[in-house]
Amino acid sequence: MPGRDDAGQGAPVTVTMAKAINMGLRAAMEADPKVLVMGEDVGKLGGVFRVTDGLQKDFGEDRVIDTPLAESGILGTAIGLALRGYRPVCEIQFDGFVFPGYDQIISQLAKMHFRSLGKLRVPVVVRIPFGGGIGAVEHHSESPESLFVHVAGLKVLACSNPVDAYWMIQQAISTDDPVIFFEPKRRYWEKAVLDVAAGPLTPLHAAQVLRSGDDVTLLCWGPMVKTCLQAAEVAAGEDRSLEVIDLRTLSPLDLPVIFQSVRRTGRAVVVHESPLTVGMGAEIAARITEECFYSLESPVLRVTGFDTPYPPSKIEEDYLPDLDRVLDAVDRALAW
Amino acid sequence: MPGRDDAGQGAPVTVTMAKAINMGLRAAMEADPKVLVMGEDVGKLGGVFRVTDGLQKDFGEDRVIDTPLAESGILGTAIGLALRGYRPVCEIQFDGFVFPGYDQIISQLAKMHFRSLGKLRVPVVVRIPFGGGIGAVEHHSESPESLFVHVAGLKVLACSNPVDAYWMIQQAISTDDPVIFFEPKRRYWEKAVLDVAAGPLTPLHAAQVLRSGDDVTLLCWGPMVKTCLQAAEVAAGEDRSLEVIDLRTLSPLDLPVIFQSVRRTGRAVVVHESPLTVGMGAEIAARITEECFYSLESPVLRVTGFDTPYPPSKIEEDYLPDLDRVLDAVDRALAW
Amino acid sequence: MSVTASFGGREGRPPLVQLLTPEGERVEHPDFAFDLDDEAIKGFYRDLVLTRRVDFEATALQRQGELGIWASLLGQEAAQIGSGRALSAQDYAFPTYREHGVAWCRGVDPLQLIGLFRGVDQGGWDPRESNFHLYTIVIGAQTLHATGYAMGIQRDGLVGTGDPRRDAATIVYFGDGATSQGDVNESFVFASVYNAPVVFFCQNNQWAISEPIERQSRIPLYQRALGFGFPGVRVDGNDVLACYAVTKAALQRAREGSGPMLVEAFTYRMGAHTTSDDPTRYRLSEELEHWKLKDPIERVKAYLSRNGIVDAGFYAGVEAEADELAARLRAGCLSMPDPDPLSIFDHVYVETTPQLRQQREDFAGYLASFEGAH
Amino acid sequence: MSVTASFGGREGRPPLVQLLTPEGERVEHPDFAFDLDDEAIKGFYRDLVLTRRVDFEATALQRQGELGIWASLLGQEAAQIGSGRALSAQDYAFPTYREHGVAWCRGVDPLQLIGLFRGVDQGGWDPRESNFHLYTIVIGAQTLHATGYAMGIQRDGLVGTGDPRRDAATIVYFGDGATSQGDVNESFVFASVYNAPVVFFCQNNQWAISEPIERQSRIPLYQRALGFGFPGVRVDGNDVLACYAVTKAALQRAREGSGPMLVEAFTYRMGAHTTSDDPTRYRLSEELEHWKLKDPIERVKAYLSRNGIVDAGFYAGVEAEADELAARLRAGCLSMPDPDPLSIFDHVYVETTPQLRQQREDFAGYLASFEGAH
Ligand SMILES: Cc1ncc(C[n+]2csc(CCOP(=O)(O)OP(=O)(O)O)c2C)c(N)n1
Ligand SMILES: Cc1ncc(C[n+]2csc(CCOP(=O)(O)OP(=O)(O)O)c2C)c(N)n1
Ligand SMILES: [Mg+2]
Ligand SMILES: [Mg+2]
């Protein structure tokens, strides 16, 4: 299972998230010859983020496929390959470029199993580097997760750290349902110690309490996890005890973990990069309110991107939720 | 302004919603030579729902354009036409077929004005017959409104009756922002008396209280308005006073009207056909909870389609929210 | 056989591969030969007649309110039976919503098709058994699935092995209107670049609902393939022998590793687009009269009769079989149970989610609450 | 001029329109002639050099951390200047993200391009003034905009009037990779079906990031047009004279009402895809060495020098102008103010919404709260 170059046989290694996903892909490809990697520039280049680095060299062009520049084509042929028994892992180069292939995801990938009364399976994983914070130009910093979570038939994940990423990508690939796999691109270069021998600590569709606290629950995923952990750290200095939950799985949501926390804290703040309106925060807030109505001391607050396109990179930092905006919401929740 | 064939000069006429939209399109085309209608089968056939009936005969093939069978092409060329000063009204044949053109809507239509720092305008209207209830096969019964409301730069409307439809389509066409215009297809044949001389009673981005009540606020749009009005009628017989608000505008939402009502009733039920998770109901619930926290006697409840694809038509009635499910939610809200 | 891009001659009238004239005369073509005997043609005749009868019966059922809608294949039987019969067992076919004739060839019970249009399911047959995919309604989407599936066949090492029982290909059906979709053109790119064993079978029935072919292309559609670097050929879509021969050649070529080919079956939609459609709004009845003279079944009948291959008893036998089939379909349709409402929640996922399980339970409870009320 | 589908001869080596050899020799072509004088060529030289200098300076600024990214046009100057100079004032151009040379021809201040890549805006120029659309980053999307715009020109009655100051066309730029996108192929369908006055200008620089042209097509790209029923031609994309002549002919044809045409400018991306890219990972340096011999600027210089059209002073003058331009760009870039954070909320809509106004106010208040804290 473990990636062979760097991880050796089980020795813990310090890796970036990009490398961890690379190792996860490698492990999945070694474990199952039906696993394919496909997308634009995933071959020799190893992807623009180098997540597929070296895979074509080792697994060949038949398993690591540089595709024509056409997202609908990538996803549509991946569905065909899946129908033939393969397990394609498609890379979408940047979040903003998934939309030319949206139809194949929404109307085909998500519905094929249902349409066939369960006879057909299309275990396709769609990897999408997402979110802002890398100073990129337009379309390179989108957070479209709610556009997928709304769609029945898809499972949606977002990793936030190298260790999770390594395991989650493998778990996603072995899932028989289609999975949209969001990778927070500005965290690609964050490092952690990965012990592949330790095995996955967390089941796939489980949220994880990364920091316990009593006053307010912070709910986050992907790039915002680090932000929230930092906020909790700062808050601790001001004698505020924040619980930080990394949702990890956006569809399905791990609601019991969320409810349990909020019932205790009585206050929740959801933090995400994508625009406020009909974002994931809305769903989470609505669910919490329905389920924990009498436990709530304040409405669930949302710290999100604005209801605007991602702005040019020079003012992107103003768009992206940061530590201060999270703390501001925490203050508001506590003062309600 | 009024459609000439049937409406004469201002005499009130009984029309179906399909006819009312047809008249609205005609009026807009007469008022402004830059208005174009384009889509699949909109010419001689008059569209599969006959909404564009007779327009090509009267305005010619240059203004009522039968397009090649390609939704991205329709929307992309509409953007180009808008850049050249035209006001294209695109018909998407069925809700499920908008997705091949989703990218042009999300990444181009919605963002062109922003991207150009306000210099470019793309006043394109995208008409989408939406929702179930006509016994159709797959992809002909989708309710994708939240996939558009989430996207900054678009305005999103849903009409529910012939009179509104007549005015709203004209207001949408004269709007300089891109508009996604949802038409509830199972209400196309419902009739009402339209008095074109009366003028639009309601501004475009305003919700409308269709029935006043004190106990629970029902929030709905498009096809669900009739359902909710019926529910309110039945409830009245059981001494329950329901307020029914037709939202009409989904982006932006007319929040003051919603808040005002819920502050009074203390209870709200949002009703929509599309799946629950990250649907419009989530957003409306989250907003109400944030704004009316201390007025709420119960959490905002949601009566929606399930988190599944639209099922085959023989069991579609089970999927669609109906009067009983609305009343069931009202009971739950009151019993909270 | 030599199938080359030269079929795509661009000057003058587009060449049309024909092996059986509307009058029922066998003709030769330099590149494509019909390699079966008269027994096979009798079989085709039976296929054509039974398929048409399925179509008639389904249309009648729709008129009587038993189906939500029906998409008739009237006029396109030869294109579908000819191509469908050219498939090997191991080939995989991807249809649109109109391929009832191909379904027939693949052994799918027509009752399954009726079930779909009745609204009891979205495709009840097992594509893995019949190697016939579910109907795809979003125009063009299936062309990419077929291409991907063909790429899978390549990866399975089942192209060019020389073993005719192993080498496989896919065939994908689509209409003239579909050629305008991005997906179809992307599938041409992928198939060409990877040299995938896929046959693109376009039934140009000259209409996309109300839009004539001129709204999709200003040149014959088979020439589209030239722009992507693989051959295209136009075949008389009302000639079951030619459709068989050309498709077989194209499949053979694909299985051998020579890559994709576009077959344009030039035919005519003799009926409405679907039972919801009203073609009198947009086309002249003369056009239909003209095409009636080219009826795909009549010409086979003429061939069989003229050459004394069959007697009246044969026709009567097929007719009786058709009557029996129609009766079975009608009875089957009328006795088809509605699905269980709770099946809405089945198969959304291979592994369902807690939320969905909850929704199912809640809805079950809700439904049960009414039973008490009875 | 006769531009026919015959340019798309499918046998043998694809024909390449060339009017100036890499050695700087003028050559003739039966179908395309360069109709300007040496003064114009001097102007082209200046354009080429200044454009390259813009590119160098921007690349340097990026290396120094002043730009987020830069997409270099190195090697593609002739394709862009040749085609850009062929445009009439009333024509409208739709670029990708790499058309700095076309922008130059359209009078867009290069500082505006630098602003975009610096991240201060997403396109600061006014397309209505320059008839040069904003850069489009989603591959291929703009081909449909150009086609729609051309359909608008048709509706304005500005095709085939015979008045060269009124007749108009659009030109749309895209890369070899883009030809695989559904949108590009759909634009071919629309343009062909409506006979829209649009020139499809494909700069085949032989790479789409790391993918060689073989991953997009197995035949020369100009032949794609044949599949859609309009002519395609391959021009030497490093020959500014040929690019000018062919584009001008194509535009003229479009303006006259003869419909779309595909121009494939066969060129080479001499630099990295963008400053974020590392081409050593996927291509051999020999390839680059080979293409250096075909440099688009060197051959114009050779022509001018060899024929004694200019003296050293001319080159020095252009060089000085380039230095000045570079200095201005650098200074302009460094002094470019960051946008106001609150501008995030501007121009989301023509008519903003109450919610957005509220978000803006809230954020303004939030920002102000920090000012107090200083
Ligand atoms: C993406 C998409 N857009 C629109 C439709 C609606 N629609 C169904 S069939 C059809 C016409 C198809 O014409 P063609 O491809 O020629 O096939 P035919 O029906 O003639 O067999 C249209 C527009 C659809 N199913 N999918
Ligand atoms: C729809 C879409 N997918 C992916 C990308 C990422 N991307 C940017 S440029 C590029 C390669 C483009 O190649 P080509 O069309 O040949 O143009 P070139 O950059 O060579 O000028 C890719 C894949 C994108 N911008 N848009
Ligand atoms: Mg057709
Ligand atoms: Mg390129």
Side-chain angles (χ1 to χ4, degrees):
Chain A
M1 279 282 268
R4 47 181 195 219
D5 291 350
D6 307 61
Q9 280 303 327
V13 281
T14 301
V15 292
T16 61
M17 179 181 298
K19 180 67 188 170
I21 301 172
N22 176 273
M23 288 167 63
L25 288 171
R26 177 179 289 279
M29 294 187 79
E30 279 170 356
D32 182 352
K34 293 290 186 185
V35 175
L36 309 175
V37 163
M38 54 196 291
E40 295 156 12
D41 306 295
V42 297
K44 276 192 185 154
L45 185 62
V48 293
F49 292 106
R50 306 293 182 267
V51 170
T52 59
D53 193 25
L55 297 180
Q56 189 179 68
K57 196 169 123 277
D58 293 338
F59 295 100
E61 293 195 14
D62 271 357
R63 293 190 61 195
V64 180
I65 310 172
D66 268 334
T67 63
L69 208 175
E71 285 74 12
S72 192
I74 295 169
L75 294 159
T77 54
I79 291 169
L81 281 157
L83 290 173
R84 181 76 191 180
Y86 288 86
R87 304 185 86 87
V89 183
C90 302
E91 174 170 306
I92 299 296
Q93 198 158 81
F94 282 90
D95 30 37
F97 306 138
V98 70
F99 300 116
Y102 194 64
D103 178 62
Q104 284 286 349
I105 297 180
I106 296 312
S107 295
Q108 303 301 330
L109 187 59
K111 292 182 171 174
M112 197 77 82
H113 186 65
F114 184 79
R115 177 184 303 150
S116 71
L117 298 171
K119 297 189 191 78
L120 301 177
R121 295 180 176 196
V122 277
V124 174
V125 175
V126 184
R127 293 181 39 242
I128 307 181
F130 84 124
I134 63 162
V137 291
E138 219 190 335
H139 310 291
H140 291 68
S141 310
E142 306 283 318
S143 293
E145 55 268 42
S146 67
L147 301 178
F148 296 94
V149 174
H150 184 55
V151 178
L154 302 175
K155 292 187 168 163
V156 182
L157 306 171
C159 58
S160 73
N161 64 71
V163 177
D164 263 9
Y166 174 77
W167 294 114
M168 283 169 74
I169 188 67
Q170 293 178 71
Q171 291 167 314
I173 292 169
S174 63
T175 300
D176 281 330
D177 289 306
V179 176
I180 311 295
F181 194 87
F182 284 104
E183 302 170 2
K185 66 174 86 77
R186 71 165 131 155
R187 309 294 183 214
Y188 269 140
W189 304 281
E190 308 259 325
K191 290 184 180 166
V193 176
L194 170 64
D195 181 359
V196 303
L201 301 170
T202 320
L204 183 55
H205 292 295
Q208 210 173 0
V209 179
L210 292 185
R211 179 182 178 118
S212 309
D214 300 318
D215 296 337
V216 177
T217 303
L218 294 184
L219 299 163
C220 51
W221 56 92
M224 287 296 111
V225 172
K226 185 175 175 189
T227 307
C228 287
L229 285 171
Q230 289 171 335
E233 192 63 36
V234 171
E238 296 167 8
D239 243 19
R240 284 174 177 180
S241 163
L242 308 188
E243 178 141 315
V244 180
I245 303 183
D246 179 356
L247 296 190
R248 300 171 77 255
T249 170
L250 302 179
S251 179
L253 285 165
D254 185 2
L255 293 171
V257 172
I258 297 172
F259 295 156
Q260 208 176 343
S261 172
V262 179
R263 277 205 197 91
R264 203 163 35 72
T265 61
R267 292 181 174 85
V269 174
V270 192
V271 185
H272 60 69
E273 276 193 24
S274 57
L276 174 75
T277 296
V278 208
M280 285 301 298
E283 182 60 34
I284 295 165
R287 297 264 188 182
I288 291 175
T289 312
E290 273 180 62
E291 204 59 33
C292 315
F293 191 61
Y294 292 117
S295 314
L296 283 180
E297 306 285 342
S298 78
V300 178
L301 297 183
R302 298 181 277 170
V303 178
T304 71
F306 302 116
D307 283 325
T308 72
Y310 268 74
S313 62
K314 282 283 178 190
I315 44 174
E316 194 189 13
E317 291 303 326
D318 291 290
Y319 177 88
L320 298 171
D322 62 5
L323 196 149
D324 287 323
R325 276 174 63 200
V326 173
L327 292 176
D328 179 64
V330 166
D331 286 348
R332 281 188 289 127
L334 286 167
W336 210 271
Chain B
M1 278 283 265
R4 46 180 196 218
D5 292 350
D6 306 63
Q9 280 303 326
V13 281
T14 302
V15 292
T16 62
M17 179 182 296
K19 180 66 187 172
I21 301 171
N22 176 273
M23 287 167 63
L25 288 170
R26 178 179 288 280
M29 294 188 79
E30 279 171 357
D32 182 351
K34 293 291 187 185
V35 175
L36 309 175
V37 163
M38 55 196 291
E40 295 157 11
D41 306 295
V42 297
K44 276 192 187 153
L45 184 63
V48 293
F49 292 107
R50 308 293 184 267
V51 170
T52 59
D53 192 26
L55 297 179
Q56 189 180 66
K57 196 170 122 276
D58 293 338
F59 295 101
E61 293 195 11
D62 271 358
R63 293 190 63 196
V64 180
I65 310 172
D66 268 334
T67 63
L69 210 176
E71 285 73 12
S72 193
I74 295 169
L75 294 159
T77 55
I79 291 169
L81 280 157
L83 290 173
R84 182 74 192 181
Y86 288 86
R87 305 183 87 87
V89 184
C90 301
E91 173 170 307
I92 299 295
Q93 198 159 81
F94 282 90
D95 29 40
F97 307 137
V98 69
F99 301 116
Y102 194 64
D103 178 61
Q104 284 286 350
I105 296 180
I106 296 313
S107 296
Q108 302 301 329
L109 187 59
K111 292 180 170 173
M112 197 76 83
H113 186 66
F114 184 80
R115 176 185 302 151
S116 70
L117 298 171
K119 295 189 193 77
L120 301 177
R121 296 179 175 196
V122 278
V124 174
V125 175
V126 184
R127 293 182 37 241
I128 308 181
F130 84 124
I134 62 162
V137 292
E138 220 189 336
H139 309 293
H140 291 69
S141 310
E142 305 283 318
S143 293
E145 56 267 41
S146 68
L147 301 177
F148 296 92
V149 174
H150 184 54
V151 178
L154 301 176
K155 292 187 168 164
V156 182
L157 306 173
C159 56
S160 72
N161 65 70
V163 178
D164 263 10
Y166 174 77
W167 294 114
M168 283 169 74
I169 188 66
Q170 293 178 70
Q171 291 167 315
I173 292 169
S174 62
T175 300
D176 280 332
D177 288 306
V179 176
I180 312 295
F181 194 87
F182 283 105
E183 303 170 3
K185 64 172 89 77
R186 72 164 130 154
R187 307 295 182 213
Y188 267 141
W189 303 280
E190 309 257 326
K191 290 184 180 165
V193 176
L194 169 64
D195 181 359
V196 303
L201 301 170
T202 322
L204 184 55
H205 291 297
Q208 208 173 0
V209 180
L210 292 187
R211 180 184 177 116
S212 309
D214 300 319
D215 297 338
V216 178
T217 303
L218 296 184
L219 300 163
C220 52
W221 56 92
M224 287 295 111
V225 172
K226 186 177 174 187
T227 307
C228 287
L229 284 172
Q230 289 171 335
E233 192 61 36
V234 171
E238 297 167 7
D239 243 21
R240 283 173 179 181
S241 161
L242 308 187
E243 178 142 316
V244 179
I245 302 183
D246 178 357
L247 296 189
R248 300 172 78 255
T249 171
L250 302 179
S251 180
L253 285 165
D254 185 1
L255 293 171
V257 171
I258 298 172
F259 295 157
Q260 208 178 341
S261 172
V262 179
R263 278 204 196 92
R264 205 162 35 74
T265 62
R267 293 179 172 87
V269 174
V270 193
V271 185
H272 61 67
E273 276 194 32
S274 57
L276 175 76
T277 297
V278 209
M280 285 301 299
E283 182 61 34
I284 295 166
R287 297 264 187 181
I288 291 175
T289 312
E290 273 180 61
E291 203 60 33
C292 315
F293 190 60
Y294 292 117
S295 314
L296 283 180
E297 306 286 342
S298 78
V300 179
L301 297 184
R302 297 181 278 169
V303 177
T304 70
F306 302 116
D307 283 327
T308 73
Y310 267 74
S313 61
K314 282 282 179 191
I315 43 174
E316 195 189 10
E317 290 304 325
D318 292 292
Y319 177 89
L320 298 171
D322 62 6
L323 194 149
D324 287 324
R325 277 174 63 200
V326 173
L327 292 176
D328 179 66
V330 166
D331 286 349
R332 282 188 288 128
L334 286 167
W336 210 272
Chain C
M1 188 212 55
S2 80
V3 176
T4 71
S6 66
F7 287 119
R10 289 191 317 279
E11 258 73 56
R13 276 188 88 195
L16 185 76
V17 179
Q18 195 179 67
L19 299 178
L20 186 66
T21 69
E23 294 73 33
E25 278 171 73
R26 292 280 299 265
V27 289
E28 297 295 319
H29 189 279
D31 298 298
F32 299 97
F34 183 68
D35 58 6
L36 300 180
D37 58 14
D38 286 341
E39 256 332 284
I41 300 180
K42 282 167 64 182
F44 286 176
Y45 178 81
R46 177 178 169 273
D47 290 336
L48 292 165
V49 169
L50 293 186
T51 299
R52 182 168 289 185
R53 183 62 73 90
V54 168
D55 196 69
F56 274 32
E57 196 58 33
T59 301
L61 283 165
Q62 197 284 333
R63 298 252 178 277
Q64 292 151 21
E66 295 297 334
L67 305 187
I69 194 172
W70 178 255
S72 166
L73 62 23
L74 190 65
Q76 300 177 219
E77 295 88 350
Q80 297 192 15
I81 298 298
S83 60
R85 286 293 173 211
L87 293 164
S88 295
Q90 70 274 21
D91 296 331
Y92 197 98
F94 288 83
T96 71
Y97 41 80
R98 206 189 285 289
E99 267 64 78
H100 321 316
V102 186
W104 173 261
C105 296
R106 298 261 90 186
V108 172
D109 185 341
L111 205 49
Q112 301 275 16
L113 311 177
I114 282 173
L116 188 160
F117 287 99
R118 184 173 169 85
V120 305
D121 58 42
Q122 296 168 338
W125 61 96
D126 190 338
R128 296 162 309 177
E129 273 173 20
S130 53
N131 272 7
F132 182 72
H133 193 64
L134 295 183
Y135 278 7
T136 297
I137 291 175
V138 178
I139 300 293
Q142 76 280 8
T143 57
L144 286 166
H145 308 159
T147 304
Y149 196 98
M151 290 164 62
I153 294 174
Q154 288 177 311
R155 278 159 183 74
D156 290 342
L158 294 175
V159 178
T161 69
D163 180 347
R165 282 154 320 176
R166 296 184 67 229
D167 282 347
T170 65
I171 186 167
V172 58
Y173 292 85
F174 54 101
D176 43 296
T179 59
S180 297
Q181 283 286 358
D183 274 7
V184 173
N185 293 283
E186 291 188 8
S187 74
F188 291 172
V189 170
F190 277 67
S192 162
V193 161
Y194 297 126
N195 210 37
V198 49
V199 173
F200 294 104
F201 194 91
C202 176
Q203 287 170 79
N204 177 0
N205 63 10
Q206 303 183 61
W207 292 92
I209 309 188
S210 74
E211 299 194 6
I213 177 66
E214 295 75 43
R215 287 268 73 81
Q216 317 295 339
S217 180
R218 64 185 195 191
I219 57 168
L221 287 175
Y222 75 95
Q223 295 179 12
R224 178 71 57 83
L226 302 183
F228 294 85
F230 58 90
V233 58
R234 180 183 272 195
V235 59
D236 182 341
N238 287 14
D239 172 353
V240 69
L241 305 194
C243 287
Y244 173 85
V246 168
T247 308
K248 193 162 175 196
L251 285 164
Q252 190 49 32
R253 202 176 158 279
R255 290 189 210 106
E256 283 167 11
S258 301
M261 180 162 155
L262 171 61
V263 178
E264 177 194 2
F266 194 73
T267 180
Y268 188 73
R269 195 193 79 207
M270 292 176 77
H273 171 69
T274 65
T275 46
S276 306
D277 182 36
D278 174 11
T280 64
R281 292 179 71 97
Y282 54 79
R283 72 182 187 188
L284 298 172
S285 56
E286 287 91 82
E287 198 178 89
L288 178 57
E289 293 311 314
H290 170 75
W291 277 90
K292 277 190 182 157
L293 303 175
K294 305 191 181 184
D295 188 286
I297 301 189
E298 287 313 312
R299 69 176 77 182
V300 181
K301 194 167 179 181
Y303 170 77
L304 292 175
S305 300
R306 177 190 307 236
N307 296 291
I309 297 162
V310 301
D311 56 18
F314 171 77
Y315 295 124
V318 173
E319 212 51 39
E321 213 184 334
D323 290 344
E324 211 175 302
L325 174 61
R328 179 172 75 78
L329 294 180
R330 168 164 294 266
C333 175
L334 298 182
S335 67
M336 213 175 262
D338 283 355
D340 177 356
L342 290 177
S343 71
I344 292 176
F345 302 95
D346 294 342
H347 310 303
V348 178
Y349 297 98
V350 177
E351 207 175 316
T352 192
T353 69
Q355 281 99 313
L356 205 54
R357 211 177 290 124
Q358 184 67 50
Q359 281 185 20
R360 188 185 200 282
E361 266 171 42
D362 291 349
F363 190 57
Y366 170 81
L367 289 178
S369 74
F370 288 92
E371 278 165 31
H374 280 193
Chain D
M1 187 211 60
S2 80
V3 176
T4 72
S6 67
F7 287 120
R10 291 190 317 277
E11 258 73 55
R13 274 187 88 196
L16 185 76
V17 179
Q18 194 180 67
L19 299 178
L20 187 68
T21 70
E23 294 73 33
E25 278 173 76
R26 292 280 298 265
V27 287
E28 297 295 318
H29 188 278
D31 297 297
F32 300 97
F34 183 69
D35 58 5
L36 299 179
D37 59 13
D38 286 340
E39 256 331 284
I41 299 180
K42 283 167 63 180
F44 286 175
Y45 178 81
R46 175 177 169 274
D47 290 336
L48 293 165
V49 170
L50 294 186
T51 299
R52 182 168 287 186
R53 183 60 74 88
V54 169
D55 195 70
F56 273 34
E57 196 59 34
T59 301
L61 284 164
Q62 197 283 336
R63 298 249 178 278
Q64 291 151 22
E66 296 296 335
L67 305 187
I69 193 172
W70 178 254
S72 166
L73 63 21
L74 191 66
Q76 302 178 216
E77 295 89 349
Q80 297 192 15
I81 298 297
S83 61
R85 285 295 174 210
L87 292 165
S88 296
Q90 70 273 22
D91 297 331
Y92 196 98
F94 287 84
T96 73
Y97 40 81
R98 205 188 285 287
E99 266 65 76
H100 321 316
V102 186
W104 173 260
C105 295
R106 298 260 89 185
V108 172
D109 186 340
L111 205 49
Q112 301 275 15
L113 310 177
I114 282 173
L116 188 160
F117 288 98
R118 185 173 169 85
V120 305
D121 57 42
Q122 296 169 337
W125 61 96
D126 190 339
R128 296 162 308 177
E129 273 173 21
S130 53
N131 272 5
F132 182 72
H133 193 64
L134 295 183
Y135 277 8
T136 297
I137 291 174
V138 178
I139 299 293
Q142 75 281 7
T143 57
L144 285 167
H145 308 161
T147 304
Y149 197 98
M151 289 164 63
I153 292 174
Q154 288 178 309
R155 278 159 184 72
D156 290 343
L158 294 175
V159 178
T161 71
D163 180 348
R165 283 155 317 176
R166 298 183 67 227
D167 282 347
T170 65
I171 186 168
V172 58
Y173 292 86
F174 54 101
D176 43 296
T179 60
S180 297
Q181 284 286 358
D183 274 7
V184 174
N185 292 282
E186 292 188 8
S187 74
F188 290 173
V189 171
F190 277 67
S192 162
V193 161
Y194 298 125
N195 210 38
V198 48
V199 173
F200 294 104
F201 195 92
C202 176
Q203 286 171 81
N204 177 0
N205 64 11
Q206 302 182 61
W207 291 92
I209 309 188
S210 74
E211 299 194 8
I213 177 65
E214 296 75 44
R215 285 268 74 80
Q216 317 294 340
S217 181
R218 63 185 193 191
I219 57 168
L221 288 175
Y222 74 95
Q223 295 178 12
R224 177 71 56 84
L226 302 183
F228 295 84
F230 58 90
V233 59
R234 180 181 272 195
V235 59
D236 182 341
N238 287 15
D239 172 353
V240 70
L241 304 195
C243 288
Y244 174 86
V246 168
T247 308
K248 192 159 175 199
L251 285 166
Q252 190 49 33
R253 203 177 158 278
R255 289 189 211 107
E256 284 167 9
S258 300
M261 180 163 156
L262 171 62
V263 178
E264 177 194 2
F266 194 74
T267 179
Y268 188 74
R269 194 194 78 206
M270 292 175 78
H273 171 69
T274 65
T275 46
S276 305
D277 181 38
D278 173 10
T280 63
R281 293 179 71 97
Y282 54 81
R283 70 182 189 187
L284 299 171
S285 57
E286 288 92 80
E287 197 178 89
L288 178 57
E289 293 311 315
H290 170 75
W291 278 91
K292 277 189 182 157
L293 302 176
K294 305 192 181 186
D295 188 285
I297 302 190
E298 287 313 312
R299 68 177 78 181
V300 180
K301 194 168 182 180
Y303 170 77
L304 292 174
S305 299
R306 178 190 304 234
N307 296 290
I309 297 162
V310 301
D311 57 17
F314 170 77
Y315 296 123
V318 173
E319 215 49 42
E321 213 184 333
D323 291 344
E324 211 174 298
L325 174 61
R328 179 173 75 79
L329 294 180
R330 169 163 294 268
C333 174
L334 299 181
S335 67
M336 214 174 264
D338 283 356
D340 177 356
L342 290 178
S343 71
I344 292 177
F345 302 95
D346 294 342
H347 310 302
V348 179
Y349 297 98
V350 177
E351 206 174 319
T352 192
T353 69
Q355 281 98 313
L356 205 54
R357 211 177 291 123
Q358 184 67 51
Q359 281 185 19
R360 188 185 200 282
E361 265 170 42
D362 291 350
F363 191 56
Y366 170 82
L367 289 178
S369 74
F370 289 91
E371 276 166 31
H374 280 194

